[in-house]
Amino acid sequence: MTAIESPCILVCSIDMKTGFCFGCGRTRDEIASWLTMTPGVRRAVMAELPARLETVERRPRRETRRARMARERGIL
């Protein structure tokens, strides 16, 4: 079994204004169907997440896995 990449940072709460999760930026439907999506569809959703997260009212209180990996690689 292979691991499926996920943007989840365990901050699971939906912004009622935008419908996006405060932690990862996905919608409820995307979260529910994540495991059954094709890798291409998951990548397309993940490409939209940074822009979505800019629209939510509050930010996650901890460093995301994606941000930590980028920091460790020296990208940020």
Side-chain angles (χ1 to χ4, degrees):
M1 182 178 248
T2 60
I4 294 176
E5 184 178 9
S6 172
C8 181
I9 62 166
L10 303 176
V11 176
C12 305
S13 184
I14 302 296
D15 177 13
M16 298 310 287
K17 182 178 174 185
T18 63
F20 301 138
C21 173
F22 289 113
C24 69
R26 295 179 291 173
T27 65
R28 289 178 193 266
D29 289 340
E30 290 167 343
I31 292 167
S33 61
W34 195 253
L35 294 177
T36 59
M37 288 180 178
T38 65
V41 172
R42 282 194 300 270
R43 282 191 297 273
V45 170
M46 288 182 72
E48 296 177 21
L49 299 181
R52 290 181 183 183
L53 287 171
E54 292 295 321
T55 67
V56 296
E57 300 262 333
R58 64 182 168 124
R59 305 276 184 249
R61 294 186 179 179
R62 64 186 189 137
E63 182 178 43
T64 64
R65 181 176 58 189
R66 180 179 291 152
R68 186 189 79 242
M69 290 171 64
R71 180 178 46 77
E72 289 172 353
R73 288 188 201 126
I75 296 172
L76 291 178

